[in-house]
């Protein structure tokens, strides 16, 4: 299995992703600069968090026109796995690989703290190592994480089981206090219809080693490694 | 070919909650400004654009909005093509 982490000018979670994939998971992982035109046929592409292009205009709006994003689209079109975390999620929405948009947090504040998210489906390449309904404690760090889509899109996401992570309380309940940013339907992460492109605002890579205070995010990387190993055999 | 000053107004779509506009509305309220209704906060882009006619400038600005400047999910845009920039300068 081989992974690439795309670095845009302003990415700042690229090393965290490299650390988890390479050091914790033992995956052959390298960085790829956003000006490149080819990904080099990896199994997994990660768009990391950060502030690509300073978040000018809108978060992710300018990064989506980087040459590498065309290669990411081709990879996704072939069924390749793409994981967008935080700014990566924003870029995937701006690029049209995921529906909807991420707006300014309802509080207008940059929120940087742990949240609880519930695993809504384990039937994805990203979540098969979790238990259905498992509540994870994972950090967020964003000012624009307020997910919105038109009502028809939200209905389809729900009906098709494409809401993968939802903000909840510690106990896994929706409502009071769980949602940190005002996201529609408490949505923290979604997948595309084919299930190979996932975007989420929380940072699983920052909760993947004991020294970081939580290992709840590690399951996502374990899921991906297991999924890709299985695919390779199949 | 003339240079036009094109003003593009990008605003949060009407009907969507605009947290920033709401905060400004509350601030105006608390300062005692009466009669303040909904406030929406967006951005104003002023683009100097070479084009053959005002219509062509407007058409190109529309494409810019659709491709980059406005998010079709959350924002509306309005375009105003100003006077030829050089003429405007000469007139002042």
């Amino acid at each position: 299995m081989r992974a690439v982490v795309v670095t845009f000018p302003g990415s700042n979670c690229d090393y965290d992703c490299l650390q988890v994939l390479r050091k914790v998971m033992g995956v052959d992982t390298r960085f790829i600069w956003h000006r490149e035109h080819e990904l080099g046929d990896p199994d997994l592409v990660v768009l990391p968090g950060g502030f690509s292009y300073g978040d000018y205009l809108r978060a992710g709006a300018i990064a989506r026109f980087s040459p590498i994003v065309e290669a990411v689209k081709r990879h996704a079109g072939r069924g390749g796995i793409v994981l967008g975390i935080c700014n990566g999620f924003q870029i995937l929405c701006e690029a049209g690989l995921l529906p909807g948009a991420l707006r300014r947090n309802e509080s207008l504040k940059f929120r940087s703290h742990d949240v609880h998210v519930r695993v809504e489906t384990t039937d994805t390449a990203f979540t098969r190592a979790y238990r259905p309904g498992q509540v994870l404690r994972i950090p967020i760090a964003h000012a624009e994480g307020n997910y919105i889509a038109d009502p028809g899109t939200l209905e389809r996401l729900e009906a098709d089981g494409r809401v993968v992570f939802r903000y909840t309380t510690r106990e896994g309940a929706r409502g009071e206090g769980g949602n940190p940013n005002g996201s529609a339907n408490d949505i923290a992460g979604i997948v595309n219809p084919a299930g190979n492109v996932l975007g989420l605002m929380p940072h699983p890579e920052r909760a993947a080693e004991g020294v970081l205070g939580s290992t709840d995010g590690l399951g996502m990387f374990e899921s991906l490694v297991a999924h890709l190993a299985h695919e390779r055999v199949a | 070919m003339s240079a036009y000053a094109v003003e593009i107004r990008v605003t949060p779509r009407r009907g969507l909650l605009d947290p920033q506009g709401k905060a400004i509305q509350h601030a105006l309220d608390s300062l005692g400004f009466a009669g303040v209704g909904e406030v929406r906060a967006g951005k104003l882009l002023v683009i100097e654009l070479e084009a053959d006619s005002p219509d062509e400038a407007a058409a190109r600005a529309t494409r810019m909005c659709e491709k980059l400047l406005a998010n079709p999910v959350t924002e509306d845009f309005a375009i105003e093509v100003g006077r030829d920039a050089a003429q405007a300068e000469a007139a002042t």
Side-chain angles (χ1 to χ4, degrees):
Chain A
M1 172 181 171
R2 290 184 309 121
V4 296
V5 177
V6 178
T7 303
F8 296 90
S11 294
N12 66 6
C13 302
D14 41 352
Y15 275 89
D16 306 59
C17 293
L18 186 83
Q19 163 75 15
V20 176
L21 285 164
R22 190 185 276 174
K23 298 281 174 55
V24 181
M25 297 304 302
V27 173
D28 174 6
T29 307
R30 64 186 185 92
F31 288 135
I32 190 155
W33 182 236
H34 76 118
R35 300 298 308 170
E36 298 287 330
H37 289 79
E38 296 296 333
L39 291 163
D41 203 24
D43 301 290
L44 166 67
V45 177
V46 180
L47 303 187
F51 300 85
S52 58
Y53 290 93
D55 276 354
Y56 296 155
L57 193 63
R58 295 181 309 277
I62 297 179
R64 71 167 271 216
F65 293 108
S66 283
I68 200 66
V69 174
E70 285 308 311
V72 173
K73 284 182 180 171
R74 290 194 298 274
H75 172 79
R78 289 192 297 263
I81 301 281
V82 180
L83 169 62
I85 302 168
C86 196
N87 190 220
F89 185 13
Q90 295 162 338
I91 294 168
L92 289 174
C93 287
E94 285 283 344
L97 284 168
L98 290 172
L102 294 145
R103 303 166 68 219
R104 184 76 74 91
N105 294 346
E106 209 165 65
S107 64
L108 295 175
K109 292 186 170 68
F110 187 97
R111 302 287 299 265
S112 178
H113 53 76
D114 284 355
V115 296
H116 292 92
V117 295
R118 196 173 67 197
V119 180
E120 299 293 271
T121 170
T122 55
D123 190 22
T124 78
F126 304 86
T127 54
R128 55 194 275 167
Y130 292 117
R131 295 186 312 277
Q134 188 173 344
V135 178
L136 314 176
R137 182 168 59 86
I138 294 184
I140 55 166
H142 62 249
E144 282 94 16
N146 182 353
Y147 183 77
I148 188 163
D150 63 81
T153 301
L154 285 175
E155 253 172 55
R156 275 196 301 283
L157 285 172
E158 296 289 354
D160 297 347
R162 287 165 51 202
V163 176
V164 179
F165 298 105
R166 224 186 283 274
Y167 300 112
T168 63
T169 64
R170 183 192 309 264
E171 292 74 31
R174 289 181 63 183
E176 271 321 281
N179 184 335
N181 52 33
S183 283
N185 297 12
D186 302 326
I187 287 172
I190 56 171
V191 279
N192 65 338
N196 60 311
V197 178
L198 179 134
L200 79 170
M201 289 312 297
H203 286 274
E205 81 283 12
R206 295 191 193 176
E209 290 177 86
V211 69
L212 300 176
S214 170
T215 54
D216 288 356
L218 190 58
M220 178 173 292
F221 300 97
E222 291 171 340
S223 299
L224 287 167
V225 168
H227 172 83
L228 289 164
H230 181 261
E231 275 220 321
R232 191 141 280 192
V233 173
Chain B
M1 190 76 82
S2 310
Y4 296 93
V6 180
E7 293 200 347
I8 299 173
R9 216 153 34 92
V10 181
T11 44
R13 175 148 309 147
R14 200 174 274 282
L16 291 184
L17 177 69
D18 171 18
Q20 202 175 185
K22 205 162 185 189
I24 294 167
Q25 184 186 349
H26 286 152
L28 291 171
D29 272 345
S30 66
L31 286 170
F33 289 99
V36 176
E38 188 192 10
V39 177
R40 282 177 301 136
K43 29 181 155 341
L44 176 69
L45 304 154
V46 183
I47 298 183
E48 277 179 38
L49 189 57
E50 295 269 339
D52 286 328
S53 69
D55 283 352
E56 194 213 319
R60 284 172 56 199
T62 301
R63 286 201 296 279
M64 291 176 189
C65 287
E66 289 166 350
K67 188 151 190 197
L68 174 68
L69 302 178
N71 184 316
V73 180
T74 58
E75 294 172 325
D76 293 318
F77 61 85
I79 293 166
E80 203 172 308
V81 178
R83 304 173 59 179
D84 182 310
Q87 275 178 15
E89 208 155 286
T92 54

